[in-house]
Amino acid sequence: MCGRLTLKTAPDQWAQLLLPALDFERLSHAWQPRYNIAPTQNIVVIANRADSDTGAEIENAAGEACHHGLHYALFRWGLVPSWSTDLSIGNRMINARYETLREKKSFIGPLRQRRCLIVADGYYEWQLLDAKRKQPHWISPTAGGVMQLAGLWERNTRATGQPVSTCTIITTAANARLSAIHNRMPVVMTSAAAERWMDPACDSDEAYAQLAPAPDGFLIPREVSSHVNNPRHEDEQCLAGA
């Protein structure tokens, strides 16, 4: 699974991978480094501007700088289906399994029409050592910088009476290097796969074909302090030992 993220890399360095052109100076003004992003909190996504205007834009930084209709926005982490009357259902839908995307009612529509990319520079995973102990790891690109995770999003108006944009991160079987820590990992997309994933002309079958585990050498795990276990801890100490 993927249950915690980091995004400590400054926005002026995001352009190395990501799709939209952006006014990084304005975005940087509103941005704060995040060391322990937890479910139900807002996470940075790249979404289709025409379809996702109710997502809170970051300091309105997209505007004329959007690229092919894409923009950066803040969506609540934990997908809430459009038919749900309770936001808490999102707590159980922070991840979407690759293997069942085309079977589950909650994901069929988003896979066809509401795909997104989640911006992160790492995620945490806990390795089971024995019945009582788990070792947290921070898993990030070997070369550093940011990555784009495959996601789905949805808009709900029934739970609160106001439109709420939410998202989920797609996971797949872990590659050989990471499987010793956990049997699942988020889908990390290459730039080429991300281009197709976000293209409205790409149908759900072709989009599904873009989803694959990252190569063994792309991500590196590092043991970190148990300080990160508490989601209220949001500081550099979460990465102690990395």
Side-chain angles (χ1 to χ4, degrees), residues 26-221:
R26 294 176 63 194
L27 177 57
S28 297
H29 177 72
W31 177 83
Q32 295 291 328
R34 301 294 309 278
Y35 295 93
N36 197 5
I37 305 170
T40 75
Q41 297 177 358
N42 284 340
I43 55 179
V44 178
V45 305
I46 298 172
N48 186 289
R49 182 176 176 81
D51 292 337
S52 60
D53 283 339
T54 55
E57 290 189 19
I58 305 175
E59 196 75 4
N60 291 319
E64 295 302 320
C66 66
H67 173 70
H68 297 311
L70 301 177
H71 72 138
Y72 289 95
L74 296 173
F75 286 0
R76 177 187 171 104
W77 185 7
L79 188 139
V80 179
S82 59
W83 42 262
S84 177
T85 58
D86 186 356
L87 282 182
S88 68
I89 193 175
N91 300 349
R92 305 190 300 275
M93 300 180 72
I94 64 171
N95 292 158
R97 291 176 65 90
Y98 159 81
E99 296 85 351
T100 58
L101 280 185
R102 297 188 288 187
E103 301 171 9
K104 292 190 175 292
K105 173 185 175 183
S106 300
F107 302 144
I108 293 173
L111 179 61
R112 184 173 60 249
Q113 297 178 320
R114 292 179 291 281
R115 301 184 291 265
C116 65
L117 298 166
I118 289 87
V119 183
D121 54 20
Y123 71 98
Y124 295 104
E125 195 56 83
W126 282 258
Q127 181 181 20
L128 183 64
L129 301 179
D130 55 42
K132 295 184 178 180
R133 295 184 302 150
K134 290 183 177 181
Q135 172 61 52
H137 291 75
W138 182 57
I139 301 171
S140 63
T142 302
V146 293
M147 55 187 174
Q148 43 203 1
L149 310 179
L152 304 173
W153 71 272
E154 186 60 273
R155 181 182 300 139
N156 179 287
T157 58
R158 296 188 177 189
T160 66
Q162 299 294 323
V164 179
S165 293
T166 63
C167 64
T168 185
I169 295 172
I170 298 171
T171 65
T172 187
N175 62 29
R177 184 174 191 178
L178 299 178
S179 60
I181 298 173
H182 198 277
N183 64 355
R184 306 293 295 177
M185 66 182 296
V187 174
V188 182
M189 307 205 84
T190 65
S191 293
E195 287 276 6
R196 293 304 299 146
W197 178 253
M198 295 303 296
D199 188 341
C202 180
D203 64 24
S204 57
D205 287 340
E206 185 182 355
Y208 189 76
Q210 308 304 314
L211 305 173
D216 284 348
F218 184 77
L219 299 172
I220 183 171

